[in-house]
Amino acid sequence: MSCLSLLFMDNILVLVGASADTWDFAKDYLTVVSFGGVFVLISNCFSNILRAEGQATKAMLGQIIGNLLNVILDPIMILGFGWDIKGAAIATLIGNFAAALYYVLYFINGKSMLSIHIKDFSYKDKICSSVLSIGIPASLASLLMSVSHIILNGIMAGYGDMAVAGAGVAMKVTMISGMLTIGIGQGVQPLLGFCVGAKKWDRYKKLLKFSLFFAFAVSFVMTALCYLFTNQIVSAFITDVNAFGYAVNFSRILLTTSIFFGIFYVLTNAIQAMGAVIPALIINLSRQGIIYIPALYILNIFASASVLMFAQPIADILSIVLAVVLYISAYKKLSRQNTGVQEG
């Protein structure tokens, strides 16, 4: 992916809506960040392995190291060294490298019950197919998120650079609540998976009910805070008056459905924990792909940047309904396969 990014740099920049004013900045940033692709992959993969092993704190530590280092280096390299956008990219690259290095050293030093040594590699007992059957749907969700953002930027570019900047900031505002609930969903997934494997259905249902309630509460609180302090949050990202207006308006549009993020991500991870491959694939393809991308093109007919941003709330509502339906279907199927499961 890093090589492809470097080889097709100009094509990618066209797709994401880079204009003559932003082209050089975008190219400088993407060129540096592309070299960190392998570190991002290692960091994300190994942190999830550690979390599945029950080492949630150590998994979180690696993410904190990478992100905190990025935050510290940003002002040093952007302002101190005067490297501007390249400085931000280098800070990101170093942060990703540090996180990946932490995880690699953790496994190499034998602190885990698991191994990343080549001598322990195996493809027997359907290991590869089992990993890919659950991993591919999840990876497609991330891939479609990137693709949908590229399409959004490309369409939004027709409304000007400030609209593109405003949309980017608005998505970061909603990520404040979204990332927290994604973490809750990822955190409960291995626990639910353990219960499915051990056939501890009472514990499974207790975990799911608690997670749904807790995730909804977090979504509610974070959405309320983001809505009340939208201006202050946006001002931390952008100062241009025109872009600021777009960002505030777009943020409040996206926040209309962020209250349901918790329910969506917990149900999505519960479906994956049950090993329901097809439902997991469908739900991961839907929110940022099958539903969202067509909605972008349909709403663009109205030739309004604000109307275009409603594509995400529409996709959110439809995806949540779909997640509920698919979860119920997958749970009932699991109930029929295991006589010890109580439906409901």
Side-chain angles (χ1 to χ4, degrees):
M1 294 304 298
S2 295
C3 291
L4 290 173
S5 296
L6 293 168
L7 286 171
F8 299 100
M9 181 76 65
D10 290 349
N11 305 80
I12 294 172
L13 293 176
V14 171
L15 286 173
V16 299
S19 66
D21 295 329
T22 61
W23 185 278
D24 290 338
F25 295 115
K27 190 167 186 175
D28 286 345
Y29 187 87
L30 187 57
T31 299
V32 176
V33 170
S34 292
F35 286 99
V38 64
F39 305 130
V40 173
L41 183 60
I42 289 174
S43 178
N44 287 329
C45 180
F46 287 10
S47 66
N48 280 290
I49 292 173
L50 271 179
R51 191 179 297 111
E53 189 183 3
Q55 301 289 347
T57 302
K58 291 183 175 63
M60 180 177 64
L61 182 59
Q63 298 294 322
I64 291 175
I65 289 172
N67 289 314
L68 185 60
L69 187 59
N70 191 356
V71 171
I72 294 172
L73 291 177
D74 265 337
I76 295 174
M77 294 188 170
I78 296 172
L79 303 175
F81 294 167
W83 291 347
D84 299 325
I85 196 71
K86 286 184 179 178
I90 293 171
T92 300
L93 178 62
I94 294 174
N96 290 333
F97 172 77
L101 182 63
Y102 164 83
Y103 291 117
V104 171
L105 291 176
Y106 180 87
F107 284 105
I108 289 178
N109 290 333
K111 295 181 180 179
S112 171
M113 69 175 70
L114 305 173
S115 170
I116 60 171
H117 291 289
I118 296 296
K119 65 182 179 62
D120 296 316
F121 174 80
S122 176
Y123 57 87
K124 298 178 181 178
D125 300 321
K126 297 183 179 180
I127 291 175
C128 185
S129 61
S130 297
V131 171
L132 293 178
S133 65
I134 299 300
I136 287 178
S139 65
L140 285 174
S142 298
L143 179 63
L144 282 173
M145 184 176 294
S146 296
V147 171
S148 63
H149 286 175
I150 289 173
I151 293 173
L152 173 63
N153 285 343
I155 297 176
M156 192 65 75
Y159 301 97
D161 289 342
M162 294 302 100
V164 175
V169 171
M171 286 187 282
K172 288 181 173 61
V173 173
T174 54
M175 281 172 62
I176 293 174
S177 61
M179 286 300 176
L180 287 173
T181 52
I182 287 174
I184 295 171
Q186 291 178 340
V188 75
Q189 182 180 344
L191 299 177
L192 294 175
F194 296 155
C195 292
V196 171
K199 295 183 173 23
K200 294 184 177 180
W201 308 114
D202 288 337
R203 180 169 173 77
Y204 172 90
K205 287 190 282 187
K206 288 178 181 178
L207 280 168
L208 182 65
K209 289 177 181 178
F210 169 80
S211 300
L212 285 171
F213 175 80
F214 182 64
F216 178 75
V218 170
S219 296
F220 181 86
V221 171
M222 295 308 301
T223 298
L225 289 174
C226 288
Y227 196 87
L228 289 172
F229 299 102
T230 303
N231 287 11
Q232 291 85 343
I233 297 172
V234 168
S235 64
F237 290 98
I238 203 164
T239 56
D240 184 277
V241 176
N242 294 325
F244 184 88
Y246 276 118
V248 171
N249 182 32
F250 292 167
S251 295
R252 288 180 172 155
I253 290 173
L254 296 182
L255 287 170
T256 56
T257 51
S258 62
I259 191 174
F260 301 112
F261 282 172
I263 294 174
F264 176 79
Y265 287 118
V266 169
L267 286 179
T268 299
N269 282 278
I271 291 171
Q272 293 177 354
M274 288 189 290
V277 178
I278 301 302
L281 179 63
I282 294 173
I283 195 62
N284 280 295
L285 288 175
S286 297
R287 181 172 178 265
Q288 296 298 130
I290 298 173
I291 299 175
Y292 180 58
I293 293 175
L296 284 173
Y297 287 106
I298 293 171
L299 293 181
N300 191 45
I301 296 173
F302 295 93
S304 168
S306 296
V307 172
L308 182 64
M309 291 303 293
F310 273 102
Q312 188 63 71
I314 290 172
D316 288 341
I317 293 296
L318 294 177
S319 297
I320 290 166
V321 173
L322 181 61
V324 171
V325 172
L326 290 175
Y327 173 80
I328 293 173
S329 174
Y331 186 81
K332 287 183 176 180
K333 183 177 180 180
L334 190 65
S335 299
R336 290 192 294 269
Q337 293 175 348
N338 300 273
T339 55
V341 181
Q342 297 178 1
E343 294 190 17

